[in-house]
Amino acid sequence: MPTKTLKWFYVGIGLILVLVPIVWTVAGSFRTEADLFGHPAGLIPHQWTLHGYRGVWSQLPFLRLLGNSVLFAGITTALTVLFDSMCAYALARLNFRGRDVAFWLVLVTLMVPFQVTLIPVFVELFHLGWLNTYQGLIVPRATSAFGIFLFRQFFMSIPRELDEAARIDGAGHLRIYWRVILPLAKPAIATVALLNFTNLWNDLLWPLVVSSSPDMQTLPAGLALFGGQHVTDHAVLLAGAVISLLPIAVAFFLAQRYFVAGISTSGLK
Amino acid sequence: MTKARPWLFMGPSLLILGVFVLWPIVQSLWYSLHDWTVGAAEQPWVGLGNYTKLVHDPQFQRALGNTLIITVASTAVLVAVGLGLALALTSENIVSRVIRSAFFFPTVISLTTVGMVWKFLLDPDIGLVGGVSRALGLGAVNWLQSTALALPTVIFVNVWKNAGFVMIVLVAGLKAIPGEYYEAAALDGARRLQLLRYVTLPALRPTMLFVTFIVTIQSLQLFDLVYVMTGGGPLFHTDTLVTKLYRDGFANYETGYAAATSWVLFIVVVLVSVFQLRIFRYNDAD
Amino acid sequence: MKNKRVIAALAGAAATGLLLSGCGGSDGGGGGGPVSLTVWTGFTGGDRPGYEQIVKDFNAAHPDIKVTMTVQPWDTIQQKLPSAWLTGQGPDIAAPSSDPNAIAQYVKTNSVLALTATGAGDDKINTDQFAPALVKEFTYNDKLYAVPANYATLSLYYNKKLIAKPPTTVAELQEDAAKATTGGKYGLVLADNNTIQMWPVLQWLSGGDIVGADNCSTIGTPEGQASLQPWVDLVKNKKISPVGLTGAEADSIFSAGKAAMEINGPWAAPGYKSAGIDLGIAPIPTGTSGQSVTLGSTAPLAVSAKTKHPDQAQQFVAYWTSKTAQLKFSQSTGFPPLRTDLADDAQLKADPTVSVFASQVPNAKLYLPQVPNATKVDSDAYVPLIQKITRDGDVAGGTASANSQINQLTGCSK
């Protein structure tokens, strides 16, 4: 059928556009500079080299950076999921004065570009004595307006009869939230967790601003050092990109079943 | 006790957002009314001086124009491309699931990495794009250095990065459409295109608005991608409001002036969002 | 397991405590353990080991001071340093940026300490031995606010496979650049943004300049225009270089063997050699006036006004610029010495790389020295001007508008 051919043609072009750059990146991290310049039309290395990976390994305290990244992105994501879902529960399930105002305030924060608040936030962290500390790194990012928004939408799609049944059994709000709503919200949790984790993992500016100590540097911050001023070593830069991408890719392929299923059943409406 | 409960639930989030987003944005309004410089002993009050200066700043006009172009074009293309993919890949079989994952993958890559990789790919000397077009005898185009092509190229990469996200959300929306709608329409003898137009799209409207809202905000705040790929050049042809305020604030240390730009951006974002959310909430109430 | 570690830590702490009390002092800079100083710099290039060596040697020679240097991209420093220094959280010492007149902003906000420990010997800042232009660049209201962290001149890098003999006059340079542009190779690769300044050198060679001593633009004068025209023609018509390159992009093209010549500083040499380029380094050719000229480039090293250890910090910057440290630094990095008393050093003169860069120190000019709003003159006027005229070729129109823009920024009242 022509529509079917058309459909697969469209999807096929899209796939090529998406996959080729990714393959090129991975392959490029194994290519020599001469190979890159000599065969710009090539996708696969003509001669393989580990120069890029060796460069990254020898110049970075790699495990330390990795550990910091996991710590920062992991703890912050866990807190975000907890705080966002609690906040969303109140917004979706409780009736109280000021609910609309609270919801709008949350939405407004979604509209603030990070660069705008950078300097005031830095000064605040200073007054709190939180610069160069893990709480300074984690607490300000431990909630996200987008997550609250997503949870709220999801919770509203859960039939209210379920809460009422629980309430008849004498459950309070905390119990309903923890025992009824959250277990049903696994797909939303997966979605918010994955999106937050990738955002935090990829964040470069924030860790740099909060900590000046090399002991607290995260992976992207460490890798940014290779974007040096003078000579671009493509293999090292691409190797850095692949390395920082790898954990995300693993997390993504592990979580994607829940995630795709999650965002599908969440019925965002 | 009961009155306090909602605020207990919302406490942590609201406190964090209040202290680390809302209060700082108020402070930046205060900065914007001064000739504010980080660390200076005096921060002279200039009233609306920074704002009147903005109106006459050709760089600002250009950045505002670029930001709007990027936003409108990215959003339109993203929703169209994402919808096409979502419609093509709704089914739950293994093939479409794998393909969906592939399309979604760019979403999890950092913007800086995406920018760097595309910058390399588009480089006329080492990039695959130039290499292939030269091999085909078309010669190499310097995409990011052409004043005419740089902005469309940035928009393209922005679409490349986010199309998968739009697709996933729309797939979710499609799945939420009750099957009875289609059955009823099929009984009426509707053809495929008619189904799309009269059943699918209307039912998908809330999801479309949601995704439009998110993509619009993201595009209005576009920074990393531009910063890495072009730095706002050539000749400010890809300069956005955020790259400009970043340059003013962090390279030239004109914090007050940068804060004024950021407030203009903030107001633009709020206006656009309120407009979109009005429609959105209207449907929400149904 | 866990307990053991805690006990070990406690024991360690107790031992340190005993040692401290044994010395009889707490802190306060004098008696206690070593004073810790932090330094931020943006030297991520091939010259990085040279700076790290200075720190290492300093620590070895000063057991009472422990200096830790953090190297991060200039961009990052630029984002963090102003607010970090404002809140007293920043490093004791930093090289804020390599931009022209970068220190001015920090002087204005009282973020940097006026350096007073000047004099003779390795523990004092030997200002009388610095190149005079450098002292002038870092002096505001008769007070010295920074020392040069380095001093580089630019030379002509050429690929011996593509150019047999380096040009010695500007006319030859233009001729060679056009001739070598063939078969997918560029004759003279030129960066115009995020780069060490190459275009000003071309202008100086052809008898023009950007801003005069009175802070008024000279770019729109007949000399200014005439100094740009031949180069614009070469780029636009002869395609001796792609347009709009950043420094890093231009460097990659040269290091891939796709460019015959490039104007660059000593930091680039190690990379080019390891990339397998048959590398030649020659002085910049003589200009139309018959005189030689090149760009001198320096990054300031300044002390925070809020440091708790101003004396030790000054001691460190003094050591950094000392004769001992600089001799070693020049030998390992190929940078010309920033001190005049090393200009005739026999060891340096014998070094083929250092000697080329060092021989040009007398001809070196700084880019926009002490020009008000220098960063903006560069980013808002000069860079866009070059980007515009290399694309549309309208030198007269471009320079006219750049001229008035520069005058506005510098406050020239002409």
Side-chain angles (χ1 to χ4, degrees), chain B residues 163-201:
Chain B
F165 173 76
V166 177
M167 173 201 73
I168 287 279
V169 176
L170 290 180
V171 166
L174 284 173
K175 288 187 175 302
I177 301 174
E180 303 93 70
Y181 285 22
Y182 290 100
E183 283 156 24
L187 283 180
D188 293 345
R191 310 265 312 266
R192 277 183 100 134
L193 270 179
Q194 287 175 311
L195 275 182
L196 180 66
R197 185 157 166 216
Y198 294 107
V199 180
T200 313
L201 288 185

Side-chain angles (χ1 to χ4, degrees), chain A residues 1-25:
Chain A
M1 285 270 103
T3 33
K4 202 147 199 195
T5 326
L6 209 66
K7 170 179 140 182
W8 288 112
F9 181 71
Y10 176 69
V11 171
I13 299 234
L15 267 183
I16 292 173
L17 279 176
V18 166
L19 292 180
V20 165
I22 294 168
V23 174
W24 186 88
T25 306

